[in-house]
């Protein structure tokens, strides 16, 4: 198995790089795997263009990085219980992931990352945004960093289901939430400043979709500080935007970046396949 001449082309100074010179339909050599893993940790999200991969090849690529993480709520591709489907139909108004978030931060071990493959795209719109939460941390004053260092925050799944503009197809009422059982009541407390398990970089680990409040604080007390942190995180200098095309594959490091699926293509279909990789406990 040959190691390719991979080129890494950053798309901004803080987040995102295009990877050139690799065909994801091939089995990855150890050398290529290591280059990609290193680039993922460095740039937070990798963009591969002009790829043509089957669901089996998609899964095999993901499995090189770890065991599959299977979301309980997302639909699956027919015949592929480990491959999720991110779909919005022309008659749907809400999309999956239409707000800044870290996938599954309400669970004890959120996924390491996810690999999305474009399957059907609107002729325009439906881009995905990424924000680097390690550089968001770096922008904070030393006083703010010290304050946050000892803090934890509560992340809850129901926060997203009940929000006005988030991932479910519509807003879920209190009664419906009751009937949805234990799965939607999943929540977990994580440190506000986490350490990336591979690079050791510090990461601001809160997000507008799932973080409810700081541990030991009320929601009302938490809101102003959370909103300040969110504003820092989404400054243009800290983000990048990816425009999907036929053949696009995107791999993000869910420990480092937030992502946001732009919902600006009502009346059109958008379908992507998603393979996620199991992660580890979030540690300070
Ligand atoms: C997601 O949040 O996983 C969906 C991202 C996208 O559709 O671009």
């Amino acid at each position: 198995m040959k190691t390719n001449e991979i080129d890494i082309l950053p798309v901004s100074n803080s987040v995102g790089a295009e990877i050139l010179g690799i065909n994801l339909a091939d089995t990855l050599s150890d050398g290529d795997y290591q280059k990609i893993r290193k680039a993922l940790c460095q740039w937070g999200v990798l963009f591969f263009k002009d790829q043509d991969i089957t669901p089996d090849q998609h899964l095999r690529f993901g499995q090189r990085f770890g065991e599959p993480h299977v979301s309980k709520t997302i639909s699956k591709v027919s015949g592929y219980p480990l491959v999720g489907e991110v779909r919005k139909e022309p008659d749907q108004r809400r999309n999956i992931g239409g707000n800044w978030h870290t996938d599954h931060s309400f669970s004890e071990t959120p996924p390491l990352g996810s690999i999305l493959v474009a399957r059907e795209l609107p002729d325009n719109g439906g881009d995905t945004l990424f924000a680097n939460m390690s550089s968001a941390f770096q922008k904070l004053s030393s006083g703010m960093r010290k304050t946050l260092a000892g803090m934890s925050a509560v992340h809850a799944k129901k926060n997203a289901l009940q929000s006005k503009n988030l991932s479910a197809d519509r807003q879920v009422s209190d009664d419906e939430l009751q009937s949805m059982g234990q799965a939607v009541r999943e929540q977990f407390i994580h440190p506000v400043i986490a350490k990336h398990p591979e690079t050791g970089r510090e990461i601001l680990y809160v997000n507008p979709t799932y973080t409810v409040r700081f541990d030991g604080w009320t929601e009302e007390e938490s809101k102003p500080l959370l909103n300040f942190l969110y504003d820092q995180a989404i400054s243009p200098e800290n983000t990048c935007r990816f425009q999907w095309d036929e053949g696009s594959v995107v791999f993000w490091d869910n420990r480092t970046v937030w992502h946001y699926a732009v919902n600006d293509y009502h009346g059109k279909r958008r379908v992507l396949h998603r393979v996620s990789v199991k992660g580890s406990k979030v540690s300070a």
Side-chain angles (χ1 to χ4, degrees):
M1 205 178 306
K2 73 178 175 60
T3 293
N4 291 288
E5 280 303 314
I6 292 182
D7 276 326
I8 300 167
L9 208 68
V11 302
S12 77
N13 270 321
S14 66
V15 60
E18 187 180 339
I19 303 295
L20 301 163
I22 188 138
N23 179 358
L24 299 182
D26 294 340
T27 303
L28 277 189
S29 67
D30 288 347
D32 288 343
Y33 161 74
Q34 272 152 18
K35 281 185 213 158
I36 291 174
R37 185 143 193 151
K38 193 164 166 222
L40 181 73
C41 292
Q42 179 171 2
W43 292 104
V45 55
L46 304 179
F47 308 116
F48 303 85
K49 296 188 178 162
D50 301 319
Q51 301 291 326
D52 183 9
I53 59 171
T54 64
D56 283 313
Q57 290 163 337
H58 182 184
L59 197 52
R60 191 181 64 203
F61 177 65
Q63 281 170 327
R64 196 72 167 81
F65 293 83
E67 271 180 67
H69 167 107
V70 184
S71 161
K72 289 180 204 125
T73 41
I74 198 168
S75 312
K76 306 296 175 310
V77 173
S78 168
Y80 291 92
L82 302 177
V83 183
E85 189 177 65
V86 175
R87 174 183 287 270
K88 183 179 174 226
E89 290 292 345
D91 61 345
Q92 289 179 306
R93 298 295 289 177
R94 296 169 65 127
N95 68 337
I96 291 175
N99 197 30
W100 285 111
H101 64 288
T102 298
D103 282 334
H104 285 249
S105 70
F106 51 81
S107 64
E108 183 173 1
T109 53
L112 173 157
S114 286
I115 301 147
L116 280 190
V117 175
R119 293 296 178 198
E120 191 171 339
L121 298 169
D123 42 14
N124 49 52
D127 297 353
T128 308
L129 314 180
F130 297 89
N132 185 331
M133 300 311 293
S134 172
S135 51
F137 168 81
Q138 293 299 331
K139 287 200 307 190
L140 300 174
S141 66
S142 58
M144 178 62 86
R145 290 185 203 182
K146 269 196 207 121
T147 304
L148 297 174
M151 292 169 62
S152 300
V154 179
H155 298 242
K157 181 167 187 169
K158 82 179 182 81
N159 216 47
L161 295 169
Q162 292 204 297
S163 161
K164 281 192 277 306
N165 58 349
L166 299 182
S167 44
D169 193 37
R170 63 200 165 73
Q171 208 175 337
V172 173
S173 71
D174 278 339
D175 284 350
E176 278 176 292
L177 199 67
Q178 282 301 323
S179 67
M180 287 168 96
Q182 205 51 44
V184 293
R185 283 191 280 280
E186 198 173 343
Q187 65 170 51
F188 205 79
I189 298 175
H190 296 294
V192 172
I193 307 300
K195 204 161 247 171
H196 192 285
E198 294 181 61
T199 64
R201 284 188 198 147
E202 284 152 309
I203 297 155
L204 182 57
Y205 200 78
V206 285
N207 68 81
T209 298
Y210 297 119
T211 307
V212 184
R213 59 181 172 79
F214 295 113
D215 190 30
W217 297 32
T218 65
E219 285 185 38
E220 203 178 4
E221 287 167 342
S222 306
K223 212 169 172 179
L225 180 50
L226 284 173
N227 284 341
F228 168 80
L229 297 173
Y230 298 159
D231 284 349
Q232 302 298 304
I234 61 170
S235 72
E237 293 76 14
N238 199 46
T239 61
C240 72
R241 181 175 189 123
F242 184 70
Q243 200 168 19
W244 293 87
D245 227 325
E246 203 180 319
S248 300
V249 177
V250 172
F251 188 0
W252 68 81
D253 181 346
N254 192 49
R255 305 161 298 185
T256 302
V257 298
W258 287 353
H259 56 287
Y260 182 131
V262 179
N263 190 9
D264 59 350
Y265 55 97
H266 296 321
K268 318 232 174 85
R269 177 175 293 122
R270 178 176 181 272
V271 183
L272 302 122
H273 287 181
R274 186 169 86 181
V275 168
S276 300
V277 180
K278 270 192 187 161
S280 51
K281 206 164 153 42
V282 178
S283 303

